[in-house]
């Protein structure tokens, strides 16, 4: 997966910078003060695909204030494990906790505690304007899934694994295999549901909150599960201080406000 360079808005912050600039600038000034004299770095970041929208916005703000450049490689959990272990040098990760359950991947990160950045639960969406099915209870969700002609999800991901566990708990795993349209990434789920190529999307609710889709709602509480995205510096990073600064920024009130606005819960 090729990197995505987010270089927009670099340079000196001015009074004309994006609103709410004051809060963001104060947060960034606090975070960046310990590394004020450090030469601008290019940070290579591994990140979960469901974090793409908030991270793009936060990266632009961080780049503008710090002079650093952030290069992201987004992926599913298996892709991130592969990138961490065989994909070449990187400086930090903002990845599902499941990545750290792989011993080889965990070894590529610095020892010590990680920092939880965001979490989000599962939901259901349909094409914009389509009737919204009942998913208010476990039984209602079960019947909706069984009646659907097709569903789109990503089994090869942390969220997809949770979806499969829900199918299992409902006793419909076998029935769902034939109607599941496997997608390679979050953007493809949105695309196939918006085009009507899949009747419903079942995935992280922030991903499903997108143009072309109507969110039906979250899973019932008794079935709900969350994916937690956590951050850590790479063990062999040559830009560890800048990487730590970006992680710290992701926990500031200005950053958590963006995370909330994008449909996720901070921490």
């Amino acid at each position: 997966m090729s990197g995505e360079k987010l270089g927009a808005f670099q340079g000196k912050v001015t009074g004309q910078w994006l609103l709410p600039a004051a809060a963001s600038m104060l947060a960034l000034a606090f975070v960046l003060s310990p590394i004020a004299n450090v030469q601008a770095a290019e940070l290579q970041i591994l990140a979960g695909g469901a974090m793409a929208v908030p991270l793009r916005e936060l990266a632009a703000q961080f780049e503008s204030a710090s002079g650093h450049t952030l290069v992201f490689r987004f992926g599913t959990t298996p892709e991130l494990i592969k990138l961490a272990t065989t994909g070449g040098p990187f400086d930090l990760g903002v990845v599902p906790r499941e990545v750290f359950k792989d011993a080889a991947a965990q070894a590529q990160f610095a020892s010590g505690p990680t920092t939880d950045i965001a979490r989000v639960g599962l939901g259901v969406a349909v094409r914009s304007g389509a009737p919204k099915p009942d998913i208010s209870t476990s039984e209602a969700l079960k019947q909706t899934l069984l009646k659907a002609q097709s569903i789109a999800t990503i089994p090869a991901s942390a969220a997809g694994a949770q979806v499969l566990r829900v199918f299992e708990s409902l006793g419909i795993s076998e029935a769902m295999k034939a109607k599941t349209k496997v997608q390679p990434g979050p953007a493809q789920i949105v695309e196939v549901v918006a085009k009507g190529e899949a009747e419903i999307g079942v995935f992280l609710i922030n991903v499903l909150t997108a143009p072309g889709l109507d969110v039906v709602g979250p899973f019932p509480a008794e079935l709900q599960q969350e994916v937690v995205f956590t951050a850590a510096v790479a063990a062999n990073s040559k830009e560890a201080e800048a990487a730590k600064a970006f992680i710290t920024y992701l926990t500031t009130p200005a950053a958590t406000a963006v995370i909330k606005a994008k449909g996720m819960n901070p921490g």
Side-chain angles (χ1 to χ4, degrees):
M1 184 174 294
S2 62
E4 181 174 355
K5 190 170 183 179
L6 301 176
F9 305 113
Q10 283 187 303
K12 185 176 179 181
V13 176
T14 72
Q16 296 178 331
W17 191 51
L18 298 176
L19 295 175
S24 295
M25 288 175 65
L26 284 172
L28 281 166
F30 174 78
V31 169
L32 296 173
S33 58
I35 60 168
N37 296 320
V38 175
Q39 187 174 358
E42 181 178 272
L43 295 180
Q44 299 286 332
I45 304 173
L46 307 184
M51 286 291 295
V53 173
L55 283 179
R56 285 189 180 111
E57 182 169 332
L58 293 169
Q61 296 175 6
F62 185 82
E63 286 182 328
S64 180
S66 68
H68 299 312
T69 300
L70 308 186
V71 180
F72 288 94
R73 284 177 282 174
F74 294 105
T76 62
T77 296
E79 291 169 341
L80 293 167
I81 290 171
K82 185 175 181 180
L83 286 169
T85 53
T86 64
F90 68 99
D91 296 293
L92 71 144
V94 186
V95 299
R97 279 182 182 170
E98 285 76 5
V99 170
F100 293 92
K101 295 179 181 178
D102 182 273
Q106 185 182 36
Q108 304 306 310
F109 291 90
S111 59
T114 58
T115 303
D116 290 343
I117 301 300
R119 63 187 67 230
V120 63
L122 302 171
V124 173
V126 296
R127 184 179 186 180
S128 289
K132 292 184 178 181
D134 183 8
I135 62 168
S136 59
T137 65
S138 296
E139 183 60 26
L141 175 62
K142 177 180 178 178
Q143 293 306 316
T144 288
L145 292 170
L146 289 173
K147 291 175 184 176
Q149 295 298 309
S150 56
I151 70 161
T153 193
I154 310 172
S157 67
Q162 292 183 346
V163 170
L164 296 182
R165 286 196 289 272
V166 170
F167 292 168
E168 184 176 358
S169 71
L170 292 173
I172 60 173
S173 294
E174 287 302 316
M176 298 309 297
K177 287 180 180 178
K179 61 179 68 184
T180 297
K181 290 182 174 288
V182 175
Q183 301 302 314
Q188 287 75 27
I189 292 180
V190 174
E191 182 178 1
V192 297
V193 176
K195 289 181 176 179
E197 296 172 4
E199 186 175 340
I200 61 175
V202 183
F203 202 63
L204 298 175
I205 199 163
N206 70 308
V207 170
L208 301 176
T209 306
L213 272 59
D214 287 341
V215 173
V216 178
F219 275 22
E222 63 270 22
L223 294 175
Q224 186 60 274
Q225 300 183 57
E226 288 186 322
V227 172
V228 179
F229 294 89
T230 191
V233 178
N236 298 318
S237 173
K238 295 180 180 178
E239 306 292 350
E241 291 307 310
K244 290 176 184 176
F246 183 58
I247 292 173
T248 299
Y249 174 60
L250 293 178
T251 66
T252 62
T256 57
V258 171
I259 290 169
K260 285 181 179 179
K262 302 305 179 183
M264 308 181 84
N265 295 314

